[in-house]
Amino acid sequence: QVRQMAMSFVPKLNREGGPAGLVAVGQDLSEVSELKFVQARKSALMAMLSHEIRSPLHGIMGLSGALLDSEVGKSIAKQLRMIHACSDRLLDLVTNVMFLAQQEKHQLDKTEAPRPSEPVSFPALVDEVMTLTRIAVNKSGRQLLKPNVKLVNNASSMVLPMVPGDRQKCTQLLYNLLTNACKFTDKGSITVSARFLAEKKAFEIDITDTGGGISEEGQRRVFQPFEQETSGDSRSFQGVGLGLSVCTEIVKLHGGELRLASELGRGSTFTVSLPCDGSLGLAEKVVPEPALTAPEAPPRPATPAAPVPPLSLKLLDRPPLVLSVDDDEVNQEVVKNAL
């Protein structure tokens, strides 16, 4: 049987100080090597399974959405919405698992993932994620946002710099934090605010809720994979406990930090701090809903429309030419239904 050993040799000296031999100290690393091999295979398997699961999930969501919009689907609209909601939750889980598997692979290979550097507009991003959070549902098909909870967007109307990062990952980060706050907040508000700290070259965004808060013991555990404030059979909330650990890894990928301040009975504040020196320019402000409307302008005299050339009319009658490249027949069907 072949074993892997780590050996250290130390010279043994006699009374006169001359060499008298060697002292060898060995450590058996075979089990460590086997463990690393198993972890590498596990990471590769998780990445492969996540990819293979995601493709049919998109098909389920696309086809159920198409049925929901059709005349046939009106009689089973409730069931179709439940199918779509379950698929959406499963897709979130697969996305989280895939990301954690990628980060674990980087750690095993002792390589550092490149830091994202594309300009990200957080005013627009927060407004978009707020909309997604309002329509998010739980496993029962009920909205995550409770009727007595108000979503407050104090970030989108501020003058903020563009932040270097990955827009998709930042969307996942904010969505995880907001939906997590929705789960634990029964009344009050969930507020998003942001600030640029020029002297620290940092951009910070807060997600503050008026929920039940997290105990000190729970605060030490919630950022670990598969952990919640209450674990085991005493769990009172759905989910496998990956959302906050994914947030931690996304923030690390951007070279930032994720902080938590919480007190039982007084809510929680999650603070995301990302490196930003303001050199990418300013992001455009976004007016949160309801959007402001401009005063009505005085009516103008009607002008006759310009005649349309006969060639344009012929072009309008022709169906658009769309090229869809996908090796999955289900996804091809989803594209056809969308067209």
Side-chain angles (χ1 to χ4, degrees):
Q1 184 180 8
V2 178
R3 310 289 294 182
Q4 289 189 351
M5 303 289 293
M7 303 295 297
S8 298
F9 295 91
V10 180
K12 182 180 179 181
L13 305 178
N14 56 27
R15 293 182 179 180
E16 290 76 23
L22 289 175
V23 177
V25 179
Q27 183 179 7
D28 191 344
L29 300 179
S30 301
E31 293 182 358
V32 176
S33 299
E34 291 176 4
L35 178 60
K36 288 183 178 179
F37 176 75
V38 171
Q39 287 179 329
R41 293 295 298 270
K42 183 198 75 173
S43 297
L45 177 64
M46 295 299 293
M48 183 271 293
L49 285 178
S50 298
H51 175 75
E52 293 300 322
I53 293 173
R54 180 184 290 188
S55 185
L57 270 177
H58 282 301
I60 294 172
M61 296 175 70
L63 293 176
S64 61
L67 279 173
L68 192 58
D69 295 334
S70 67
E71 290 293 329
V72 179
K74 288 184 178 180
S75 59
I76 52 172
K78 180 179 178 181
Q79 291 86 343
L80 289 173
R81 279 194 291 268
M82 293 175 70
I83 291 174
H84 199 278
C86 291
S87 304
D88 192 39
R89 289 179 52 242
L90 188 54
L91 183 61
D92 285 341
L93 175 61
V94 170
T95 302
N96 289 337
V97 169
M98 179 179 287
F99 177 72
L100 289 178
Q102 290 172 345
Q103 295 304 108
E104 188 178 54
K105 186 177 185 301
H106 283 299
Q107 294 175 3
L108 290 174
D109 297 341
K110 295 183 178 179
T111 58
E112 188 173 344
R115 184 177 295 182
S117 58
E118 66 176 279
V120 178
S121 171
F122 268 85
L125 192 65
V126 171
D127 187 64
E128 175 185 320
V129 176
M130 283 280 198
T131 302
L132 293 174
T133 304
R134 287 188 179 95
I135 62 175
V137 295
N138 60 19
K139 64 181 180 181
S140 303
R142 298 187 180 92
Q143 285 191 324
L144 277 179
L145 185 65
K146 313 294 192 307
N148 295 327
V149 179
K150 183 180 180 182
L151 273 183
V152 182
N153 182 359
N154 289 336
S156 294
S157 59
M158 295 182 64
V159 178
L160 298 170
M162 300 289 280
V163 181
D166 183 315
R167 194 180 195 280
Q168 182 181 1
K169 294 287 191 300
C170 289
T171 301
Q172 186 179 4
L173 168 67
L174 288 182
Y175 183 76
N176 283 359
L177 290 174
L178 276 172
T179 52
N180 183 74
C182 289
K183 292 178 185 177
F184 296 92
T185 306
D186 294 325
K187 60 181 180 179
S189 63
I190 300 171
T191 305
V192 180
S193 54
R195 57 193 169 273
F196 174 52
L197 306 176
E199 67 281 1
K200 294 184 178 180
K201 294 184 178 180
F203 170 82
E204 294 190 347
I205 187 163
D206 296 330
I207 292 87
T208 303
D209 65 64
T210 57
I214 304 173
S215 64
E216 291 186 8
E217 181 186 354
Q219 292 181 42
R220 291 191 291 268
R221 221 176 36 236
V222 291
F223 293 109
Q224 300 299 319
F226 308 107
E227 288 284 353
Q228 293 182 354
E229 184 189 1
T230 54
S231 301
D233 295 335
S234 60
R235 286 189 177 196
S236 56
F237 295 93
Q238 64 176 0
V240 296
L242 284 179
L244 291 180
S245 61
V246 168
C247 292
T248 303
E249 292 299 326
I250 292 176
V251 173
K252 285 181 181 178
L253 180 66
H254 287 75
E257 63 174 343
L258 178 60
R259 304 190 298 267
L260 168 61
S262 184
E263 186 178 342
L264 281 176
R266 303 191 66 177
S268 306
T269 297
F270 288 86
T271 300
V272 177
S273 181
L274 302 176
C276 177
D277 57 8
S279 61
L280 296 178
L282 295 177
E284 291 186 11
K285 294 191 293 184
V286 176
V287 179
E289 294 182 355
L292 297 177
T293 57
E296 294 185 3
R300 295 181 178 179
T303 56
V308 180
L311 180 60
S312 298
L313 289 175
K314 290 182 180 180
L315 289 175
L316 290 174
D317 292 337
R318 294 175 58 185
L321 180 62
V322 178
L323 174 63
S324 173
V325 181
D326 199 308
D327 60 355
D328 193 306
E329 186 178 353
V330 175
N331 289 338
Q332 289 280 17
E333 188 65 28
V334 172
V335 173
K336 289 179 184 178
N337 288 332
L339 296 176

